[in-house]
Amino acid sequence: MRLKEALLRDWRRESFDEIDSYLLRAVGGRRPETVPAPLDAVYDRAERRRVAHLLHGDQDFDRFEGLEAARRFAAVTAAHQLAAWQEITAAFDAAGIAVAGNKGPFLGALLDRPAGRMPVTTDLDLLVAEEQVAAAVAVLESLGYIRGLNIQDHAFVRMSSRSVRELEQEQGSFGQLAPMCRLLKLPELDDMQPGIERWLPDRKIVWTSAGIRSVLSVDLHFDLGHRSASGVAYPIPAAELLRDAVTVRHRGAELRTLDADTMTWLLCYRAYLDTAVFGERRFKPFADAAELIRARGRAGAAWDTATDRYPHIAGPVARTLRFLTDECGADLGAPVPAPVPDADEAPAPPAPRSAHIVVCHGWGSRERSAPWVAELRSQLAAADVTVEESAPFQDVTDPLTVGAAVAELRERAHAVRTRSPGTAVGFVGVSLGSTVALAAALADPSPDFLVAVSPVVDPVAESTGDDGGWSFLGSAVSPAFAEDLTACSPGRRLDRVGCPVLVLHGGQDNERRTHDAHLLAAGAAARDGRSARQEFPAGNHTLDNAPVGAAAAVSTWLDRLGLVALRSGNRS
């Protein structure tokens, strides 16, 4: 896929516009003289694309408050990162663990960036050999780092073991990794509380009664390659990259990192994957690659050696370089290779076949009660798709157990496949119905696709006290229902879902459902590049107030999977 096409597709995220075009020209070092929107809107977009540092030096932003807040935060955290690196590398050396850094302050060292021009980050990306990951984690724990620490709701909490496992397999985060973090106290910024909250809203920063707090993240990367949608591995073992690591002195510290050529082709490779395969809209990998090439050039022999060793990088690297020249206006100082076919390009979708969808509704919901399901049935009417519904929890005074609902859903799928071989069968689960759909997808044969609307991945009934009673969503349930609910929970087994997953959720839903939606979507995307997530900012829990958009999201996704052929008038 061409990178411009990946950036222009807007079915999963907000559309590409003139601010993005402006920022891409800034990536190429050719920022237009005219700012296309109010400064706060441009800064906000640049921060979301992680390239606000490119606005430094622009006279329009010379005294802009947001950029001053970002510049000061970046300078302070850069000093903390260097101190943390010195502490970590001393401990790793003592333990006999080879380590080198990538991106972030290590790229800054190669470029000799001044502190005031550093991008905002609190992450250290470290490369270790896979066989030394366990030892590296143990050393970091001895230094006070916690496996999977996260920041949420103005408090620091440990992530669940399931969330940590999801992160460890998240190849969209620049390679397979083991995440470690520790609390980062920033007294130097205590006077910036209003600016921090206003201008850096999406960062891991909170204001507490004790002052500004963040987390210093250490990601231990042991493989910087990727897996295709079909599960084929294309490795770039960290152990091999460590053999050619170099030492750079920067701001009084010695940093072991990748040489400029290696870091450049790796940035180009991952920039393509993050955008075209994983659906990211971050411009920073492109900006880093362009800046590094402008500063250090490209050594053709080194790149030839890399593509000989890792043939799967050739296509992504060539496409990124072409994108930098054609769309960003970057002068890369050497001819750009023509893009070549690569292993990541998805085959042409199969000819559409008939499909059968089973919708499983949630707690207290009836069949044919959801407006968006009726709209979906209408949109798919001419595409040879059958939509049937199940409401196992309609009677909350005597509901089916989740286990029984799972068995019923699988029986429906088996019946369809028996009478109509070759039909694509998919599950759509709404709220607690998503628990049923996910649990049903864990066993073979799996459905051909799954849609989770406001997913519930770990439902739990609550004890009502010493009387031995149980309650679920305000309704009394039997001990058997409560026990079955826990036993059938798919939360710890999501990595076994073997089909593409579309996650839909509403922006007005509660925080737990939003967390589950992001968790499920991240894991699904790591396992299958065809998976997707879409949020409806004004949508409620069941998306009943967004029927057209929700239905269009499902039908368009099925069309992209090649499972249905929509008429042009039904496309969204």
Side-chain angles (χ1 to χ4, degrees), residues 159-181:
M159 296 172 67
S160 68
S161 60
R162 183 186 69 246
S163 298
V164 171
R165 286 196 301 274
E166 294 285 356
L167 276 177
E168 289 173 338
Q169 298 301 316
E170 177 53 78
Q171 53 180 352
S173 295
F174 216 90
Q176 297 178 39
L177 56 89
M180 304 287 290
C181 298

Side-chain angles (χ1 to χ4, degrees), residues 431-553:
S431 189
L432 186 60
S434 68
T435 306
V436 175
L438 287 165
L442 294 175
D444 291 327
S446 68
D448 294 284
F449 58 91
L450 190 151
V451 179
V453 179
S454 304
V456 181
V457 300
D458 264 330
V460 177
E462 298 178 348
S463 171
T464 57
D466 298 334
D467 61 355
W470 292 86
S471 172
F472 181 70
L473 296 180
S475 299
V477 295
S478 67
F481 181 94
E483 181 179 356
D484 177 84
L485 187 66
T486 301
C488 293
S489 171
R492 297 183 183 276
R493 300 171 291 162
L494 291 177
D495 58 348
R496 289 167 49 190
V497 176
C499 65
V501 179
L502 172 64
V503 178
L504 305 180
H505 63 108
Q508 303 306 306
D509 207 349
N510 63 64
E511 293 179 357
R512 181 60 189 172
R513 297 286 69 78
T514 299
H515 172 272
D516 281 2
H518 283 270
L519 175 68
L520 175 60
R527 291 186 300 274
D528 191 321
R530 298 170 296 172
S531 295
R533 176 182 68 85
Q534 183 164 335
E535 177 179 352
F536 295 84
N540 59 20
H541 177 59
T542 55
L543 298 183
D544 288 343
N545 64 339
V548 176

Side-chain angles (χ1 to χ4, degrees), residues 82-275:
L82 287 179
W85 161 255
Q86 291 175 305
E87 179 187 34
I88 290 170
T89 191
F92 276 27
D93 287 347
I97 301 171
V99 63
N102 184 36
K103 304 188 303 177
F106 306 96
L107 174 61
L110 288 176
L111 295 169
D112 197 24
R113 277 174 174 162
R117 296 183 67 87
M118 294 288 287
V120 171
T121 179
T122 57
D123 299 338
L124 284 175
D125 292 275
L126 304 184
L127 277 60
V128 295
E130 185 170 4
E131 61 271 18
Q132 291 192 306
V133 169
V137 168
V139 170
L140 287 173
E141 288 178 332
S142 74
L143 297 177
Y145 289 84
I146 297 173
R147 191 173 177 121
L149 188 72
N150 195 12
I151 185 170
Q152 181 179 351
D153 298 335
H154 297 258
F156 293 90
V157 297
R158 292 177 187 239
M159 296 172 67
S160 68
S161 60
R162 183 186 69 246
S163 298
V164 171
R165 286 196 301 274
E166 294 285 356
L167 276 177
E168 289 173 338
Q169 298 301 316
E170 177 53 78
Q171 53 180 352
S173 295
F174 216 90
Q176 297 178 39
L177 56 89
M180 304 287 290
C181 298
R182 75 179 180 190
L183 186 67
L184 182 60
K185 299 179 180 180
L186 300 171
E188 308 95 325
L189 302 177
D190 284 349
D191 63 314
M192 287 185 59
Q193 183 250 338
I196 289 287
E197 291 184 340
R198 168 65 180 88
W199 300 112
L200 299 170
D202 298 327
R203 302 290 183 164
K204 299 173 182 176
I205 307 167
V206 296
W207 170 257
T208 72
S209 59
I212 296 291
R213 298 291 184 265
S214 186
V215 287
L216 179 64
S217 301
V218 176
D219 291 338
L220 299 172
H221 300 267
F222 51 87
D223 189 334
L224 287 92
H226 78 288
R227 297 183 305 277
S228 69
S230 60
V232 177
Y234 296 96
I236 302 177
E240 296 181 2
L241 300 178
L242 286 169
R243 297 170 190 161
D244 300 318
V246 299
T247 298
V248 180
R249 188 161 185 82
H250 180 62
R251 299 177 65 196
E254 289 189 343
L255 289 82
R256 283 200 296 274
T257 184
L258 305 176
D259 65 88
D261 287 320
T262 299
M263 192 180 293
T264 304
W265 66 251
L266 193 56
L267 284 167
C268 291
Y269 167 68
R270 294 301 308 191
Y272 174 84
L273 292 180
D274 286 353
T275 303

